[in-house]
Amino acid sequence: MALTAIIEEHGGPEKFKLTDIEVGAPGKGEVRIAHKAVGLNFIDVYQRSGLYPMTLPHAMGMEAAGVIEAVGEGVTHLKVGDRAAYAANPPGAYTEARVMPAAQVCPLPEGISFEEGAAMMLKGLTVQYLFHRTTPIEKGDTVLFHAAAGGVGLIACQWARSEGITLIGTAGSDEKCQLALDHGAAHCINYRGGDWVRKVRDLTEGKGVKVVMDAVGKDTFDGSLDSLAPLGMMISFGNASGPVPPFNLAVLGQKGSLKLTRPTLFTHIAQHEDCQAMAKHLFDKVLAKDVTIQIGQRFALRDVAKAHEALEGRQTTGSTVLEI
């Protein structure tokens, strides 16, 4: 049996229910993994609230690290006893152990802790596709990254610095801005301090940035478009402030023939080979000390509701993990 956090209806953090679930043997293409640590992400909030509806009841969580306990038929990249980490569908990571598809479960190198593995997979793989699989970004380019002191943001700041990319961050306090700067942002704007779009323009000598990476959504969408240089790319990859309202595509032409995309990580990692290659790139960055994983908060699995309250209330910095 494995203690597991589930929801039976969509709503607030109070909807979590802790229950013991029997963990069976893995079938073809599956593994059973005993978790050591579990990562939290904003997609978990979207699924719990119903913004991303799920068939209920359902276990929650998309990211974890642990030890492989059993391997099903056809799985060749993992064996019993291997350290492993993943970001993957279907949800179900908020548990002590689970059976799941093996394709997106990745061998976790020695030198990376279980907590780091749990805290980095979804966020780090997101940064990998943002910088390498979405639109060409080269050394010397300038990008704008919202929520730069969050779990994805702190990885992005370091990733950009490691590749000679100028990252302008935004955050909600001077303290969070300093954290982003300490992790490699070239500049960070406290968006509560006034016209952040004008400040982006000032930092780019009026030109605007080549790429905006925006997981905030509704509150920053218009300003993000206004921060782009002509022919720039807007990557909208989250909705922390709520979904972007219906949008007139003609505005993209009016603002300088801009490009707009709404990617998801799970499209990028759907193929086993792609997922494993992206994970290796991420692991190499961490092992080379180009990227360190900032774990700002730790909660017990039983306190998952408190963890969601902190995440949703923007009271967190870096990554948040559940300790198993």
Side-chain angles (χ1 to χ4, degrees):
M1 304 294 283
L3 184 67
T4 304
I6 68 170
I7 57 170
E8 295 177 331
E9 58 181 322
H10 294 296
E14 74 281 356
K15 297 299 183 181
F16 277 112
K17 177 181 178 181
L18 292 168
T19 185
D20 286 317
I21 293 178
E22 185 171 350
V23 183
K28 184 176 181 179
E30 295 181 329
V31 294
R32 185 173 72 232
I33 182 169
H35 289 155
K36 301 295 186 181
V38 176
L40 271 70
N41 297 280
F42 239 95
I43 191 172
D44 305 351
V45 173
Y46 303 155
Q47 291 172 340
R48 190 212 69 225
S49 69
L51 179 62
Y52 294 175
M54 298 191 301
T55 301
L56 301 179
H58 209 298
M60 294 287 296
M62 308 292 289
E63 172 182 55
V67 176
I68 301 298
E69 290 189 322
V71 174
E73 179 187 350
V75 177
T76 59
H77 69 292
L78 295 164
K79 64 182 185 300
V80 174
D82 279 354
R83 307 168 78 251
Y86 67 85
N89 275 314
Y94 292 2
T95 184
E96 294 172 328
R98 69 184 294 199
V99 169
M100 64 181 296
Q104 281 71 43
V105 182
C106 304
L108 182 66
E110 296 290 343
I112 300 177
S113 72
F114 289 117
E115 279 199 346
E116 289 171 326
M120 69 188 272
M121 291 299 288
L122 192 146
K123 303 168 194 67
L125 292 173
T126 295
V127 172
Q128 200 279 341
Y129 87 68
L130 288 173
F131 280 87
H132 295 277
R133 293 173 58 92
T134 309
T135 191
I137 303 174
E138 301 172 352
K139 183 177 181 179
D141 286 342
T142 300
V143 304
L144 174 65
F145 198 102
H146 292 296
V152 179
L154 291 183
I155 295 173
C157 290
Q158 297 172 81
W159 201 290
R161 177 175 59 187
S162 76
E163 301 198 349
I165 296 162
T166 299
L167 186 145
I168 301 172
T170 69
S173 69
D174 290 342
E175 292 76 15
K176 287 187 174 184
C177 279
Q178 187 59 54
L179 189 60
L181 292 169
D182 292 343
H183 282 75
H187 311 278
C188 194
I189 300 166
N190 182 347
Y191 62 79
R192 300 185 192 279
D195 185 352
W196 58 266
V197 176
R198 179 185 58 78
K199 293 176 182 177
V200 171
R201 287 284 174 180
D202 289 345
L203 288 169
T204 57
E205 300 178 341
K207 299 174 183 176
V209 299
K210 181 176 181 178
V211 179
V212 177
M213 301 174 180
D214 187 343
V216 174
K218 175 174 63 70
D219 289 354
T220 52
F221 184 79
D222 290 339
S224 290
L225 293 180
D226 289 336
S227 300
L228 282 167
L231 305 177
M233 168 67 84
M234 165 71 165
I235 307 173
S236 177
F237 69 103
N239 314 283
S241 66
V244 175
F247 173 71
N248 179 4
L249 283 176
V251 172
L252 298 176
Q254 297 163 8
K255 291 182 180 292
S257 299
L258 304 180
K259 299 180 285 288
L260 170 64
T261 186
R262 179 56 171 92
T264 71
L265 171 63
F266 298 106
T267 306
H268 284 281
I269 64 172
Q271 300 302 313
H272 170 74
E273 294 79 7
D274 290 339
C275 180
Q276 300 296 320
M278 290 168 66
K280 184 180 185 305
H281 193 182
L282 171 61
F283 294 151
D284 287 347
K285 287 278 189 185
V286 174
L287 291 170
K289 309 298 184 185
D290 288 335
V291 171
T292 59
I293 306 303
Q294 174 78 24
I295 300 173
Q297 302 75 217
R298 294 171 173 83
F299 294 87
L301 176 59
R302 290 187 177 276
D303 293 328
V304 62
K306 293 180 181 178
H308 267 239
E309 288 171 0
L311 188 66
E312 202 166 8
R314 311 246 186 129
Q315 298 166 6
T316 64
T317 57
S319 298
T320 302
V321 297
L322 301 177
E323 297 175 319
I324 305 298

